[in-house]
Amino acid sequence: MSRAQAESVIKNIIREIAQECSSKGEKISETVVAFMVKAVVLDPKNHFNVDRTLTKQDVQKLIELCVNRLLDHRSPALDTIKMQVDFDMQYMSRREFLDELCKVLQSRVAQISREITDSRARARDELEGLYHKIVSYVVQHSGLGSLTDINIVREVTAGVQSVFPQSELGTFMSLTKKDKERQLSELSMIVTGICLFNKDCGKGGESIQNLPGYLNEVIPDATRDLELELEACQAKAWKYTALVERLTETGFSSCKVPPDLLRQALYNLRQHEAFLKITLADVILCAKQVETLQTEFIEQLKLLKDKVHGKKAVPTAQVFPLFIDLAKQWSGMRDESALLSFLSDVVVRLRLHLSAQSQLLSETQLNTLLEGVHVKTDMERVSESSGKLLYEDKIDPSEMMSCEWFLPETTANFDTLPLQYRGVCGYTLVEKDGLLLPANTAIGILKHRERYYGFVSKEAAYKFASKPDEYISLIADRAKSCPELIQLLELYQQFARVTPYSEMQSGEKLLVKPLTKSDSSTQTDTHPVDMNIVKSYEWNEWELRRKALKLVSLRTKVTHSVQTDLSHFRRHNCTQTYLPKDAVCQTKRDGTSSVPKPQIYLAGLRGEKTMATNMIKVNLTRSVDE
């Protein structure tokens, strides 16, 4: 089967699965369906062979299995996969969001900017219409308010007239397109700064949002709510960890909930916790940025007041740059407000994927199952072993010389080492049937094939290090049965054939990502720009050596210069000489004398037990007179 045919088959399978789910009242995106298809094929329990073409029976079986899993509303694993897909498709980093926001704002004024710069107005009515468009551009570009707010339009119009009166339209029309765009942008920022300054002085601006005050109220509330939600999620995850750990040791007969569902609920909580931490870090960074912008904003307003206070006229060269800086800080706070709103929406969307886990066990049932069990936090698990850590509890590299170990005492930047499995102990994950426990890095870290692994104890580290490839393979096998672990534990390198959600296409081949290898070459001219040709350039190394020898031979030469009466004081003259060498002389000679070295030998010291010792002393020292 060709690649095109395979893609067509997969598209049809995904479309048929989505339609069947839709017919049963469940609307599921094709991205989730595509990943579920891959997850079902990866699961060894389903016995799919990806190396051969799927038969009709295989396709029907695949569709049936996928539909059953996608319609299982009691499955926390399905919620986790949906959460991962949703977050990966919706979430953007801070830089990506701000870049995208800038593009949106530019596209919003692109049409009116094009109309202004391309205008060829000559008549009076046409020039008035052009001036109104410039005012509309400033209103939209500044973000101070809406065009439907008459107060905003009036204030912006007054600001534009004070900076750019209608009589200067003729000069504006004579500029090039790029200069027009640059002047429009500068005009918008200057007018924005003027309106903000007037609002601070109490001379208008009632319709302009008090953005600093709004952010001062919203950011603490958002941070507090997010921290509380994260604490609640962690507390529940610690309870499920203690429950799974206890039932793994004592047996699952005391719990009516299947063990697979308990582990799936744990994975769901851990994934939610990971996403909340990412979002909280962005909110904290946003708060710091807002604090910096507000400080600069207040300082800029104070500086403007000092410049303008008590003066009827101020040079534009002094105040216009200050207005532009004020507008930039306002724009920065506006962007941070949009980012905060975006992050809040992300957190709300995450809550939609917790229903199956929340309905599995109520808080009362969970506490009943944990009666008599001390629920340990992640910090307690790590500090419990770290606080009482003795020398014999730490990894001793000499005990396993074949492995490479890193210890906190001997490794620089130890805390920044990127641990595999998101810092989870891989040995515990295998030996305790999928239990996720945080690794204690204080005992040491194993480096295997350029990857770093942490463990909960010294024994776990030694057992994992004795056969690391086997344990890594077992973790991959567990991820095949629980596909939500691929993203939760960041197993992308082990599942390189599984495409990340954000890159996934509905028509992509079932499992294997197409290999895009080809022979290619590039060629550039030696000197693309003729003006940059270096005349002294030499490609021949022998020519370079010849020039070097010429430079070296200058050491034996003397520089001469001649100066006449006419050239006196008209040119720089220089003379090069070598400083005198340091010379020394010696007028006395050192003399020495020596006496003979004593040489005395003793013989017969090793006597037998039955015989008396007969020692002979021989003096072979030379005479002093010799």
Side-chain angles (χ1 to χ4, degrees), residues 74-76 240 243-244 247-248 251-266 356-362 364-366 369:
R74 295 184 66 253
S75 172
Y240 268 94
L243 178 60
V244 173
L247 296 179
T248 302
F252 289 85
S253 57
S254 59
C255 181
K256 297 180 180 180
V257 180
D260 288 341
L261 290 181
L262 292 177
R263 282 188 287 268
Q264 290 176 15
L266 174 60
Q357 168 266 127
S358 59
Q359 296 173 6
L360 189 63
L361 285 175
S362 64
T364 304
Q365 292 173 329
L366 191 57
L369 291 172

Side-chain angles (χ1 to χ4, degrees), residues 470-516:
E470 180 179 339
Y471 278 101
I472 293 172
S473 177
L474 290 174
I475 293 172
D477 291 341
R478 173 162 288 278
K480 292 177 182 178
S481 302
C482 303
E484 65 270 25
L485 289 177
I486 296 176
Q487 180 163 346
L488 176 59
L489 302 182
E490 298 176 342
L491 301 175
Y492 299 121
Q493 293 180 345
Q494 297 185 39
F495 291 87
R497 297 186 301 173
V498 178
T499 315
Y501 306 122
S502 57
E503 301 176 9
M504 188 182 299
Q505 303 296 330
S506 58
E508 192 180 15
K509 199 173 178 181
L510 186 63
L511 270 181
V512 182
K513 201 174 181 182
L515 300 178
T516 54

Side-chain angles (χ1 to χ4, degrees), residues 588-608:
K588 71 173 184 176
R589 186 177 65 179
D590 294 333
T592 60
S593 62
S594 61
V595 296
K597 182 179 179 181
Q599 295 182 351
I600 301 174
Y601 297 91
L602 302 178
L605 293 176
R606 295 182 180 179
E608 296 183 4

Side-chain angles (χ1 to χ4, degrees), residues 166-385:
Q166 192 170 350
S167 59
E168 294 185 7
L169 274 177
T171 306
F172 178 78
M173 295 295 294
S174 64
L175 299 175
T176 62
K177 184 179 179 66
K178 288 186 177 180
D179 289 338
K180 289 179 181 178
E181 293 175 350
R182 180 178 56 82
Q183 284 210 359
L184 280 175
S185 179
E186 289 182 0
L187 174 64
S188 174
M189 298 181 73
I190 292 172
V191 173
T192 302
I194 291 173
C195 294
L196 294 173
F197 179 71
N198 290 338
K199 176 179 175 63
D200 185 70
C201 295
K203 298 179 180 179
E206 291 80 7
S207 299
I208 300 176
Q209 182 185 14
N210 183 14
L211 198 53
Y214 168 76
L215 290 173
N216 288 335
E217 293 178 2
V218 172
I219 290 180
D221 293 341
T223 306
R224 183 176 60 255
D225 293 344
L226 198 52
E227 288 176 345
L228 292 175
E229 185 171 355
L230 177 60
E231 290 175 2
C233 177
Q234 289 177 328
K236 199 167 186 179
W238 296 332
K239 289 182 178 181
Y240 268 94
T241 301
L243 178 60
V244 173
E245 185 177 21
R246 177 190 180 185
L247 296 179
T248 302
E249 297 172 354
T250 62
F252 289 85
S253 57
S254 59
C255 181
K256 297 180 180 180
V257 180
D260 288 341
L261 290 181
L262 292 177
R263 282 188 287 268
Q264 290 176 15
L266 174 60
Y267 300 157
N268 181 266
L269 289 166
R270 287 298 189 182
Q271 187 64 82
H272 188 215
E273 175 190 358
F275 288 153
L276 287 178
K277 286 181 177 179
I278 294 173
T279 311
L280 179 60
D282 287 343
V283 171
I284 293 174
L285 183 60
C286 179
K288 292 180 179 178
Q289 186 66 19
V290 167
E291 184 179 358
T292 303
L293 289 171
Q294 286 185 351
T295 303
E296 295 175 354
F297 186 77
I298 294 172
E299 291 177 354
Q300 206 72 20
L301 286 172
K302 184 178 179 181
L303 187 59
L304 271 169
K305 289 180 180 179
D306 294 339
K307 289 281 186 182
V308 178
H309 180 69
K311 298 179 181 178
K312 295 181 179 180
V314 183
T316 57
Q318 294 182 11
V319 293
F320 279 6
L322 300 179
F323 286 136
I324 291 175
D325 292 340
L326 196 66
K328 288 181 180 179
Q329 290 146 12
W330 169 270
S331 176
M333 287 189 287
R334 183 187 61 189
D335 293 345
E336 297 298 331
S337 176
L339 176 60
L340 189 64
S341 177
F342 166 74
L343 294 175
S344 300
D345 292 340
V346 170
V347 174
V348 171
R349 293 182 66 89
L350 290 178
R351 297 176 189 146
L352 302 177
H353 308 294
L354 303 174
S355 57
Q357 168 266 127
S358 59
Q359 296 173 6
L360 189 63
L361 285 175
S362 64
E363 194 69 24
T364 304
Q365 292 173 329
L366 191 57
N367 293 333
T368 303
L369 291 172
L370 289 172
E371 190 173 353
V373 178
H374 174 60
V375 178
K376 300 178 183 178
T377 67
D378 289 345
M379 291 72 73
E380 287 177 347
R381 289 181 182 274
V382 174
S383 60
E384 186 179 57
S385 53

Side-chain angles (χ1 to χ4, degrees), residues 400 431 448 462-472:
M400 295 193 74
E431 297 297 334
H448 177 68
Y462 284 167
K463 290 180 180 179
F464 186 96
S466 62
K467 40 187 177 180
D469 293 328
E470 180 179 339
Y471 278 101
I472 293 172

Side-chain angles (χ1 to χ4, degrees), residues 494-561:
Q494 297 185 39
F495 291 87
R497 297 186 301 173
V498 178
T499 315
Y501 306 122
S502 57
E503 301 176 9
M504 188 182 299
Q505 303 296 330
S506 58
E508 192 180 15
K509 199 173 178 181
L510 186 63
L511 270 181
V512 182
K513 201 174 181 182
L515 300 178
T516 54
K517 291 184 178 180
S518 62
D519 295 331
S520 62
S521 61
T522 58
Q523 182 178 359
T524 58
D525 295 333
T526 306
H527 300 290
V529 182
D530 293 340
M531 297 299 293
N532 291 338
I533 294 178
V534 181
K535 301 297 183 181
S536 60
Y537 171 76
E538 290 289 348
W539 63 270
N540 192 340
E541 64 175 312
W542 292 103
E543 181 64 23
L544 294 174
R545 290 183 180 183
R546 186 181 69 80
K547 289 184 177 182
L549 291 174
K550 287 177 64 178
L551 293 174
V552 171
S553 67
L554 289 177
R555 292 178 56 110
T556 61
K557 303 298 186 291
V558 179
T559 304
H560 298 276
S561 63

Side-chain angles (χ1 to χ4, degrees), residues 3-30:
R3 171 178 168 78
Q5 291 175 334
E7 290 182 354
S8 177
V9 170
I10 297 305
K11 281 184 179 180
N12 293 333
I13 292 175
I14 292 174
R15 191 178 299 112
E16 187 173 346
I17 294 173
Q19 290 176 354
E20 189 165 347
C21 292
S22 179
S23 65
K24 295 184 179 181
E26 189 73 21
K27 187 177 181 180
I28 298 176
S29 67
E30 289 191 355

